[in-house]
Amino acid sequence: AYFGAYNVTNAVTLNAGALYVGSGGASGPISLNGGGFIRATGNYRTVSGPIRGSGGVAFDGGDSSAGITITSSLNDFTGDVSISGAYGDVARIILGANEVIPDTAFVNITGGYLRADSACIETISGLNGDASATLFSPNASGWTVRIGYTNASSAFAGSMGAYWETGWRGINIVKIGTGTFTMSGANIFHVGTTTVSGGRVVLNDTTAFVSPIAIGAGAELVANSTQAFPTRWGYTKTIAINGTLIKTGSGWFDFNGAGVVVTGSGRILVQEGVFSMDSSSVNWSAFTGDVAVSNGAVLNLRNNNVTFDALDGEGIVGNDYAANTLTIGSGNGWGSFSGSIKGANAGGADDGSN
């Protein structure tokens, strides 16, 4: 069905196929009967009526400037949202208000983007996207997506930021529920904030990840790195650890530079590879949590003074660069460590284990 320039105020039932929204928009209720496509005939047509019924809804590109703004907080369809390119075009979806996607829905993006122009909040069960997917906002403060409503898991490999006029714009991620949200690859240019309130967030070699992180009590963030020393993954923002930060993978993960301020009373688990500092200016003074280094793993201080409470494990605490101070007991706790603590080496690129 094609609506053209008319504002469609009557109820529409979509059994299958495509519903084309023209410049007049669609303010009447749209009922899904098993799903279907909603397409725009031009730039950011508005669907303000509630979308209801069984099945999911797919938004896809059908025009080189196609895009749809959805504005109803009464949307209560029972399926998922798919955003995908069609005919070589990119699907563009704008969230025009708070909570316009049902909380139980997954958002799946391939060849498109999801955008909000205001500082709105959106809760969803999961976010899936390939390298062509983008989330962003032209608003300097970004918008917030809460992921994990049904305790489900999902995975994203696209971009979470874009350059808009005078600077980079991002979104704020809040992980809720008990499931896992995984972000993978160098496309994850994420400039908003990341709050892990529940479950687990996994970062797989997200070397362009520049988001300040807060890990809540009982929650986990996993930094999985396969990066060798010459291309090591350096994290440069603040991190509040009141849950657990876990280093996995055979490669290097660094705290790098004066922008890194480590706070909290949680726990750092170095399970595999090398977790290191990469300058003398990382600030550990407000961290009162514990550190555990597993057998075969390395905590490499690399010329940085480091402070924490208990030290546990059977791994290696080393320093391959220059003199520094390791202070243990910042929270008056106790631990059991049967590994090795080794002084400075001259190698620079050593992992600190020699």
Side-chain angles (χ1 to χ4, degrees):
Y2 177 75
F3 288 163
Y6 297 99
N7 176 15
V8 178
T9 60
N10 294 331
V12 175
T13 299
L14 183 59
N15 292 318
L19 180 67
Y20 287 84
V21 180
S23 59
S27 59
I30 298 174
S31 297
L32 305 174
N33 188 10
F37 291 92
I38 297 179
R39 292 175 178 156
T41 62
N43 195 30
Y44 298 116
R45 307 315 193 195
T46 299
V47 176
S48 58
I51 305 173
R52 295 171 169 161
S54 61
V57 59
F59 300 93
D60 67 14
D63 184 279
S64 61
S65 61
I68 291 175
T69 300
I70 52 177
T71 63
S72 177
S73 61
L74 299 178
N75 295 330
D76 60 0
F77 54 89
T78 59
D80 297 330
V81 174
S82 297
I83 303 172
S84 61
Y87 313 113
D89 294 319
V90 174
R92 302 169 175 90
I93 303 301
I94 288 182
L95 306 177
N98 288 326
E99 305 293 6
V100 299
I101 297 174
D103 295 349
T104 56
F106 282 74
V107 175
N108 306 308
I109 308 175
T110 54
Y113 66 67
L114 183 65
R115 162 181 163 181
D117 290 351
S118 62
C120 69
I121 298 173
E122 187 62 61
T123 303
I124 56 178
S125 279
L127 174 66
N128 295 304
D130 62 11
S132 66
T134 301
L135 273 69
F136 86 102
S137 173
N139 188 308
S141 60
W143 58 283
T144 298
V145 56
R146 301 172 70 242
I147 302 170
Y149 181 78
T150 58
N151 298 319
S153 298
S154 55
F156 190 82
S159 174
M160 293 188 175
Y163 194 87
W164 185 269
E165 295 181 348
T166 59
W168 286 98
R169 304 289 189 258
I171 64 167
N172 305 310
I173 297 173
V174 179
K175 171 63 182 66
I176 60 175
T178 59
T180 298
F181 179 54
T182 301
M183 292 180 272
S184 299
N187 281 334
I188 302 288
F189 185 79
H190 176 30
V191 297
T193 61
T194 300
T195 303
V196 191
S197 296
R200 171 181 280 200
V201 168
V202 176
L203 304 178
N204 285 325
D205 286 326
T206 54
T207 53
F209 187 92
V210 288
S211 167
I213 296 170
I215 309 169
E220 296 177 343
L221 184 135
V222 178
N224 182 59
S225 174
T226 62
Q227 303 297 312
F229 179 84
T231 58
R232 58 198 181 279
W233 172 11
Y235 177 74
T236 59
K237 299 297 181 180
T238 60
I239 182 165
I241 307 170
N242 289 299
T244 305
L245 171 65
I246 304 171
K247 164 62 179 73
T248 63
S250 60
W252 285 65
F253 174 69
D254 294 351
F255 284 169
N256 191 340
V260 183
V261 179
V262 187
T263 62
S265 57
R267 189 168 175 81
I268 298 173
L269 304 181
V270 187
Q271 294 183 342
E272 298 173 309
V274 181
F275 173 43
S276 76
M277 309 309 108
D278 215 3
S279 77
S280 60
S281 53
V282 176
N283 186 346
W284 284 82
S285 62
F287 183 65
T288 58
D290 302 334
V291 173
V293 185
S294 298
N295 187 27
V298 177
L299 171 64
N300 189 342
L301 306 183
R302 282 184 63 78
N303 192 35
N304 206 110
N305 295 329
V306 175
T307 300
F308 50 81
D309 194 15
L311 175 63
D312 296 285
E314 301 174 341
I316 296 170
V317 178
N319 176 30
D320 70 353
Y321 199 67
N324 64 284
T325 300
L326 172 63
T327 302
I328 299 173
S330 59
N332 297 317
W334 61 274
S336 176
F337 184 74
S338 59
S340 300
I341 298 178
K342 301 185 178 183
N345 294 300
D350 191 1
D351 65 6
S353 63
N354 295 328

